Amino acid sequence: TGQQWAISFTRMLIEQWLKLWDMRNEQRHGKDEAQRKQARRQVLINALSELYQYKEKVCPMDRNIFDTSVNDHFANHKSLDRIEDWINTYSEAIKNSARQAEQMGITNNHSIQEYLTSNPIS
């Protein structure tokens, strides 16, 4: 009957969707602990790289939260948990600072502290 066919077809669609979902999760998050760690590291690298694109666009006084580069950030913050915490803590603040700097017309400006690296008198 039509009702049995619809039930059977719906069940088959759900089963296929679940298989696809599992494949996606394994690809994104890994099958075992080593792959999950590598996948998490890659997700964090991508998120951190995105935030570091704002480094010269944020207000000058906010640039001190950044390390020199993404690689330096990973070197200085060894654990993935610390890096993820940093991303979660500063992500919105970085984006808001970049918007504020753009509104104020101070993107790419530098803090006066960057110019005072040495004393020209001594």
Side-chain angles (χ1 to χ4, degrees):
T1 69
Q3 186 177 10
Q4 288 176 331
W5 179 86
I7 291 170
S8 174
F9 183 73
T10 303
R11 191 171 287 143
M12 187 266 313
L13 280 177
I14 291 172
E15 288 171 1
Q16 293 301 312
W17 182 82
L18 288 172
K19 284 181 186 177
L20 184 62
W21 182 254
D22 287 339
M23 287 171 47
R24 178 253 182 216
N25 282 343
E26 286 178 0
Q27 184 179 21
R28 172 134 171 113
H29 302 292
K31 290 182 182 182
D32 57 19
E33 189 59 35
Q35 285 182 346
R36 277 191 284 279
K37 187 175 180 179
Q38 183 59 33
R40 181 178 179 216
R41 180 176 167 77
Q42 191 57 52
V43 167
L44 293 175
I45 287 171
N46 292 344
L48 201 59
S49 297
E50 178 186 337
L51 291 176
Y52 266 74
Q53 290 178 359
Y54 289 98
K55 185 177 178 181
E56 295 298 320
K57 297 176 184 175
V58 298
C59 295
M61 66 183 183
D62 295 330
R63 292 192 187 132
N64 63 345
I65 63 172
F66 293 97
D67 285 301
T68 309
S69 67
V70 173
N71 290 336
D72 286 345
H73 194 106
F74 266 89
N76 295 332
H77 302 86
K78 300 284 185 200
S79 82
L80 296 180
D81 288 337
R82 284 193 62 200
I83 293 168
E84 187 172 24
D85 288 345
W86 188 93
I87 291 168
N88 291 334
T89 300
Y90 292 110
S91 180
E92 286 304 312
I94 289 168
K95 292 173 184 176
N96 288 334
S97 179
R99 276 192 291 275
Q100 183 180 17
E102 185 175 357
Q103 289 171 348
M104 295 172 63
I106 58 172
T107 56
N108 296 317
N109 284 14
H110 296 280
S111 168
I112 194 160
Q113 293 170 337
E114 293 178 41
Y115 295 105
L116 300 176
T117 57
S118 64
N119 186 349
I121 298 173
S122 58

